[in-house]
Amino acid sequence: MNPMGTAFTASEANPQEQLAESLPKDKRKGRGKGKLAPNAEHCQMPIDPQVEALCKTFSIEERIMRRLNDVLLTRESTFDADMKALWEVCENASKPSGFLMVKIGEMERGCFT
C-alpha cells in the first residue's frame, strides 16, 4: 500500500516501464541498448599476427592475448626479441598461460628478461 492509502499494482506505478516492456527489444531505450562500453571491441587495437600465432599455438585465452598485445605495443624497439623470448618461455612451460602472465607483468614493470 502506498503512503496515500490506495493500493496499486507495479505496472500502474510506472507506466513508462510498462511501455518500454511492450516495445520490441530493438526499439527500447536504456538497459544498455545503444551504448558501447569503453572496453568494447570497437576501440581495441588489432592483434599483431605474431602475437596471435603465439597465443593460438599455446591455446592462450583472448583476454591474455589482448593484454600481451597491448604491452608489446609499448615495446616496439624490442618487439622481435620479446617475441623470441616469449616463444621460448611458452615452449618450455608446463602452463604457458601462467608464464605469459608473469612475463606480461615483468614487461609492465620494465624488468622483462
Side-chain angles (χ1 to χ4, degrees):
M1 197 179 277
N2 71 13
M4 302 306 270
T6 59
F8 55 88
T9 63
S11 62
E12 292 170 341
N14 193 346
Q16 287 180 332
E17 189 173 307
Q18 184 181 16
L19 177 63
E21 293 296 325
S22 68
L23 292 172
K25 285 187 177 187
D26 61 333
K27 300 292 183 192
R28 292 183 191 175
K29 293 188 178 186
R31 293 178 175 41
K33 185 76 178 143
K35 294 183 179 179
L36 298 174
N39 61 349
E41 289 185 21
H42 72 280
C43 60
Q44 291 178 345
M45 295 296 294
I47 303 293
D48 184 277
Q50 292 182 51
V51 173
E52 189 171 7
L54 173 78
C55 292
K56 286 192 185 284
T57 301
F58 296 102
S59 302
I60 305 300
E61 58 187 272
E62 186 173 347
R63 70 178 179 84
I64 297 173
M65 177 172 57
R66 290 216 171 271
R67 190 168 167 203
L68 176 62
N69 190 65
D70 291 345
V71 75
L72 286 172
L73 286 175
T74 66
R75 300 171 55 90
E76 290 181 28
S77 61
T78 60
F79 181 85
D80 291 329
D82 291 346
M83 285 303 299
K84 183 178 178 186
L86 292 172
W87 273 98
E88 290 174 10
V89 165
C90 288
E91 286 172 344
N92 297 318
S94 58
K95 291 192 175 190
S97 60
F99 275 89
L100 266 183
M101 289 301 294
V102 169
K103 296 302 179 186
I104 290 169
E106 290 177 3
M107 284 186 228
E108 290 172 342
R109 290 188 305 277
C111 60
F112 177 66
T113 55

